[in-house]
Amino acid sequence: METGKTVPSSFDLVEEKPPHVRLEPDPGKTGSYLKDLDYSVLQQCMHCGLCLPTCPTYVITGKEKNSPRGRISLMRAIADEELEVTKAFAEEMYFCLGCLACTTACPADVDYTQLFEMARAEAERQGVLDKPKRNFVRWIALKVIFKRPRLLHFLGRLLWFYQAVGLQTAIRQLQLTRLLPKDLRELEPLTPSVRRHFSQEIIAAVETPSEKKYRVGLLTGCVQDLTFSDINRDTADVLLANNCEVVTPRRQPCCGSLHGHNGEWELAKELARRNIDQFDLDSLDAIITNAAGCGSHLKHYDRLLADDPDYASKARQWAEKVRDISEWLDEIGIRPPKVSEKPENVTYHEACHLCHGQQITKQPRNLLKSIPGLELRELGESTWCCGSAGVYNITQPETAQKLLERKMKHVAATEAEVVATGNPGCMIQLQSGVRQEGLKIRVEHPVSLLARSYRSEK
Ligand code: SF4
Ligand code: SF4
């Protein structure tokens, strides 16, 4: 097969296509997501290679095909009809972490976010990875569970019960997890702790501070809502302490980042519309998220819904108003807490979708530095992916583990008491790293440290 001039010759991309199966049909404009892209986006890469040393998958394997430059060459070759979408192409797109370190390094401003999302969407559209088990897992997760907040909450309740009555601990102690199928056995240690109360039980629909200057909407997330609803409460408290009235719509759906990053573009659009409908945009100064992965996706609703006549303008308004909590506090000026708690050494791991996806680096540090008594200890390779990367630690456990071990070495070297990070996926991954390494270090969201400091004023 002719592989095309822009593709490194080491690529073996000749595969027979399995039968076409996909969740949501989308004819698109040309029948191809990559061809639908503005061609200038595909042309932007000038092959300079400056992104290579920042790409974790390239650094691990040393292979061009696992680098941003190699992946972009493949995408362009497909758009140019020099290559077909094959299983090998799709696997390469899923070997990419989507960490976006390449976008920070790139002098040509290559829009890798759009490229890799379209490449995965194209792989799914063509069904080259189809297998009954994979299709079922994707269908149940993306179309059933993460589309239905009530069902997600119900499953969260079951998991909470399983953990609260000690079944999980007993099963682990008796090593009964050995009886699970291999896939589930490997996933089990990553099971997050589910909270007793979800966000809407601990945050009122509207909470108003004594002195109100701003009115903001609060996004409670889906995984965040089950596993870190306390961080949502902390976020509301911090906003109230900074004169923001907090509006928290009930039963918010998933933001769709999981769908957008996993090739389900049509589902991502549907969830974006549903999210926008939850908020009265005209009445809000900002829409606040405390999850970096969600924030990075939420800020692209304008692009996602650009061709939707009913939602394009609302999506633009939405994208203008979305702020990460640290970004918003920095913008309005954080009120420093008045009392110092016990002095604490804290290091900060930068979630990829905050530092690379949104270029937010100084604001979380400013937030941490505003806390009296807190000493910020810089982390080596703080912007290097921890291996969480959405569901990467589930789909690519070996590479994710290598990245986690590298991260934990740096965390241990700081001898900090707390590692702070602004993304639930990173928190779960780091908690797993702390357990594996036997470290005595807490994993916290920066906003929780600030909320605790405000509470000690009382
Ligand atoms: S997103 Fe991350 S893993 Fe993927 S090409 Fe860019 S730097 Fe490499
Ligand atoms: S740094 Fe940018 S322009 Fe250079 S090879 Fe990487 S993606 Fe292409």
Side-chain angles (χ1 to χ4, degrees), residues 44-51 68-69 72 105-108 110:
Q44 238 168 340
C45 176
M46 53 194 185
H47 313 290
C48 67
L50 287 175
C51 53
R69 186 173 61 185
I72 293 167
C106 179
V110 168

Short mmCIF file of all heavy atoms in Angstrom, two decimals, residues 44-51 68-69 72 105-108 110, ligand 2:
data_model
loop_
_atom_site.label_atom_id
_atom_site.label_comp_id
_atom_site.label_asym_id
_atom_site.label_seq_id
_atom_site.Cartn_x
_atom_site.Cartn_y
_atom_site.Cartn_z
N GLN A 44 -0.51 23.46 9.51
CA GLN A 44 0.25 24.36 10.38
C GLN A 44 1.59 23.78 10.85
O GLN A 44 2.53 24.51 11.09
CB GLN A 44 -0.60 24.67 11.61
CG GLN A 44 -0.85 26.14 11.82
CD GLN A 44 -1.93 26.33 12.88
OE1 GLN A 44 -2.72 25.42 13.17
NE2 GLN A 44 -1.97 27.51 13.46
N CYS A 45 1.66 22.46 11.01
CA CYS A 45 2.89 21.86 11.53
C CYS A 45 4.02 22.02 10.51
O CYS A 45 3.88 21.67 9.35
CB CYS A 45 2.67 20.38 11.84
SG CYS A 45 4.16 19.56 12.38
N MET A 46 5.16 22.60 10.99
CA MET A 46 6.29 22.81 10.07
C MET A 46 7.40 21.79 10.35
O MET A 46 8.54 21.99 9.94
CB MET A 46 6.79 24.24 10.19
CG MET A 46 7.12 24.65 11.61
SD MET A 46 7.32 26.41 11.77
CE MET A 46 7.85 26.54 13.47
N HIS A 47 7.07 20.74 11.10
CA HIS A 47 7.98 19.60 11.34
C HIS A 47 9.27 19.99 12.05
O HIS A 47 10.30 19.37 11.83
CB HIS A 47 8.30 18.89 10.01
CG HIS A 47 7.09 18.61 9.17
ND1 HIS A 47 6.15 17.68 9.54
CD2 HIS A 47 6.64 19.18 8.03
CE1 HIS A 47 5.18 17.67 8.64
NE2 HIS A 47 5.44 18.58 7.72
N CYS A 48 9.23 21.04 12.87
CA CYS A 48 10.47 21.50 13.53
C CYS A 48 10.93 20.53 14.62
O CYS A 48 12.10 20.48 14.96
CB CYS A 48 10.27 22.89 14.11
SG CYS A 48 9.09 22.92 15.48
N GLY A 49 10.01 19.81 15.21
CA GLY A 49 10.39 18.82 16.23
C GLY A 49 10.56 19.38 17.63
O GLY A 49 10.95 18.65 18.55
N LEU A 50 10.25 20.67 17.82
CA LEU A 50 10.43 21.25 19.17
C LEU A 50 9.51 20.61 20.21
O LEU A 50 9.78 20.65 21.40
CB LEU A 50 10.19 22.77 19.13
CG LEU A 50 11.29 23.58 18.46
CD1 LEU A 50 10.91 25.05 18.36
CD2 LEU A 50 12.61 23.45 19.23
N CYS A 51 8.42 20.02 19.73
CA CYS A 51 7.48 19.39 20.67
C CYS A 51 7.97 18.02 21.15
O CYS A 51 7.50 17.51 22.16
CB CYS A 51 6.12 19.23 19.99
SG CYS A 51 6.24 18.37 18.40
N PRO A 68 4.08 13.95 18.50
CA PRO A 68 3.05 14.82 17.91
C PRO A 68 3.28 15.01 16.41
O PRO A 68 2.34 14.93 15.62
CB PRO A 68 3.25 16.17 18.64
CG PRO A 68 4.12 15.88 19.82
CD PRO A 68 4.85 14.60 19.57
N ARG A 69 4.55 15.19 16.02
CA ARG A 69 4.86 15.41 14.60
C ARG A 69 4.45 14.21 13.75
O ARG A 69 3.84 14.37 12.69
CB ARG A 69 6.37 15.68 14.45
CG ARG A 69 6.81 16.08 13.08
CD ARG A 69 8.25 16.48 13.07
NE ARG A 69 9.15 15.40 13.48
CZ ARG A 69 10.47 15.54 13.65
NH1 ARG A 69 11.03 16.71 13.45
NH2 ARG A 69 11.22 14.51 14.03
N ILE A 72 0.58 14.02 13.57
CA ILE A 72 0.00 15.04 12.69
C ILE A 72 0.24 14.66 11.23
O ILE A 72 -0.63 14.83 10.37
CB ILE A 72 0.58 16.44 13.01
CG1 ILE A 72 0.12 16.88 14.41
CG2 ILE A 72 0.14 17.47 11.97
CD1 ILE A 72 0.85 18.08 14.97
N ALA A 105 4.58 23.62 23.68
CA ALA A 105 5.93 23.70 23.12
C ALA A 105 5.93 24.24 21.69
O ALA A 105 6.96 24.74 21.21
CB ALA A 105 6.56 22.31 23.12
N CYS A 106 4.81 24.17 21.02
CA CYS A 106 4.80 24.42 19.56
C CYS A 106 4.90 25.91 19.21
O CYS A 106 4.03 26.70 19.59
CB CYS A 106 3.50 23.85 18.97
SG CYS A 106 3.37 24.12 17.21
N PRO A 107 5.92 26.31 18.44
CA PRO A 107 6.05 27.72 18.06
C PRO A 107 5.06 28.13 16.96
O PRO A 107 4.86 29.31 16.72
CB PRO A 107 7.49 27.83 17.55
CG PRO A 107 7.84 26.45 17.10
CD PRO A 107 7.03 25.49 17.92
N ALA A 108 4.45 27.13 16.30
CA ALA A 108 3.55 27.44 15.19
C ALA A 108 2.08 27.43 15.62
O ALA A 108 1.19 27.53 14.78
CB ALA A 108 3.76 26.42 14.07
N VAL A 110 0.16 25.07 16.58
CA VAL A 110 -0.63 23.97 16.00
C VAL A 110 -1.77 23.63 16.97
O VAL A 110 -1.56 23.48 18.16
CB VAL A 110 0.26 22.74 15.75
CG1 VAL A 110 -0.60 21.51 15.44
CG2 VAL A 110 1.21 23.01 14.59
S1 SF4 B 2 6.49 21.95 17.58
FE1 SF4 B 2 4.61 22.35 16.39
S2 SF4 B 2 5.34 22.80 14.32
FE2 SF4 B 2 7.05 21.81 15.40
S3 SF4 B 2 6.84 19.61 14.90
FE3 SF4 B 2 5.76 19.95 16.83
S4 SF4 B 2 3.63 20.32 16.21
FE4 SF4 B 2 4.89 20.59 14.37
#
